[in-house]
Amino acid sequence: MRFSFTTQALVGAVAVSALTVPRSVEKRLTLIDLKQFGSFPTITPEQAHSQAEKIKGPFSDGPQFNFPKIIGGNKSPSAGEDKVVTTSAAAADGTCDRNNPKVRVEWKNYSPDDRKAFLSAIKCLMDKPSAGGFQGSKSRYEDIVSVHQQMTPNIHQRATFLPWHRYYVSIFEDLMRNECGFNGAFPWWDETKDAGHFADSDLFTDEYFGPLPGKTSNGQGTCIDTGTFGGLRLHIGPGSGFQDHCLSRAVDESLTGTVSAQFVQDCNSRTSYDDMRGCQELGPHAYGHNGVGAVMAEVQASPGDPIFFMHHLFVDHSFRIWQNADASRTTSINGCSDANSPCTQITMDYVLSSNGLKANTTVGNVMDTMGGYLCYRYDY
Ligand SMILES: *[C@@H]1O[C@H](CO)[C@@H](O)[C@H](O)[C@H]1NC(C)=O
Ligand SMILES: [Cu+2]
């Protein structure tokens, strides 16, 4: 024990004293055992396909957490916003010209210049110091990771999952634009086009997110040493812990093969929001995470792998497609917002929080992606 402590202290000292850290030192980043990352709970594609099956997902057997209060009827419309386009009762703070929203462009149609600018802006957040107050964070990027880790009990396996992650991805977008000068269109990733061969996507090349290796012969992940994020040191996770470790991946293409257009459609054929949500969360969403593997397969700190955001842009796209089928799907929601028994029903006034990364908002403000608080659509 004493010996390993000394070794770690020495490595730390070298890393701090030399700004130009040689690769040989970076390689000493700890590769965390694959088992420690765990995985997202799943349903099978067959379960999703069976119309009779309603999938909500279990959540009652976890530890008890503090849930945000439901606040209703205390919102006042902001003054002086005469251009607000309110086709949704929930639209508030902000304007959106529905004929000219931002367009999220699928990766394959996303220009090389936009791709470069997008990756540079993520790197920029990683190179910026933390704003402070985010547990375990050592960079502005990790401020975002920390919020997901800390909020995990409130945002998974319940109705909050889709609206909260929509809000979360929009915060990532805001920080890139406001703090790193990104001014292009945002991308999304149509995973159904790459199902079964994620590793062949040019997302996973050194120019962009770096490689996507399979499990090693001894069943482990691999530290990503090359590409935009080569040698990245993560300080948050796995789980609720804080451990210095490398960004690792371990693709399982039999799992990514499940992220098919059929699976997405089977989930989206459900008319009840919460049935659809459970199916998407435990279905395509979970398989994308588990398929990429390692850091991405860990529920709390998976945003440590920046491909997380491409994945959640895909999940948000599926949600938007479901909403497009019926106007009422942007003005109503159902399901549990907590794990109490009986649970508290989610409402449009449910408060979404990011622990101060961005001001709180409500579910109602994010249900319509062109409602004013948000202003985007997808290219298809
Ligand atoms: C944001 O919402 C959370 C959860 O409801 C609450 O604890 C926090 O006080 C709110 N923050 C502000 C600034 O209102
Ligand atoms: Cu999440």
Side-chain angles (χ1 to χ4, degrees), residues 137-150:
S137 172
K138 299 272 193 287
S139 72
R140 193 59 174 142
Y141 183 84
E142 284 191 334
D143 289 354
I144 310 175
V145 181
S146 166
V147 168
H148 190 273
Q149 183 198 40
Q150 299 301 312

Side-chain angles (χ1 to χ4, degrees), residues 293-374:
V295 170
M296 263 291 275
E298 196 277 301
V299 176
Q300 295 196 239
S302 45
D305 186 339
I307 202 68
F308 173 97
F309 291 98
M310 295 304 295
H311 178 57
H312 268 277
L313 284 155
F314 165 69
V315 172
D316 187 65
H317 172 267
S318 301
F319 178 27
R320 181 68 219 185
I321 295 299
W322 178 81
Q323 293 184 301
N324 285 345
D326 185 331
S328 72
R329 295 177 179 179
T330 58
T331 55
S332 59
I333 190 165
N334 70 307
C336 291
S337 64
D338 62 26
N340 297 341
S341 186
C343 73
T344 311
Q345 282 293 313
I346 195 168
T347 68
M348 295 294 263
D349 294 321
Y350 179 90
V351 173
L352 301 172
S353 164
S354 55
N355 288 342
L357 192 53
K358 185 176 176 173
N360 287 351
T361 192
T362 59
V363 163
N365 275 343
V366 302
M367 289 300 275
D368 184 352
T369 67
M370 294 184 283
Y373 179 82
L374 300 173

Side-chain angles (χ1 to χ4, degrees), residues 40 148-149 152 155-156 161 164-165 168 281 285 289 298-303 308 312:
F40 282 70
H148 190 273
Q149 183 198 40
T152 282
I155 57 177
H156 296 113
F161 173 70
W164 190 87
H165 282 81
Y168 185 61
E281 182 174 4
H285 161 257
H289 273 286
E298 196 277 301
V299 176
Q300 295 196 239
S302 45
F308 173 97
H312 268 277

Side-chain angles (χ1 to χ4, degrees), residues 126-141:
M126 290 176 176
D127 293 340
K128 261 180 149 35
S130 163
F134 298 94
Q135 208 182 345
S137 172
K138 299 272 193 287
S139 72
R140 193 59 174 142
Y141 183 84

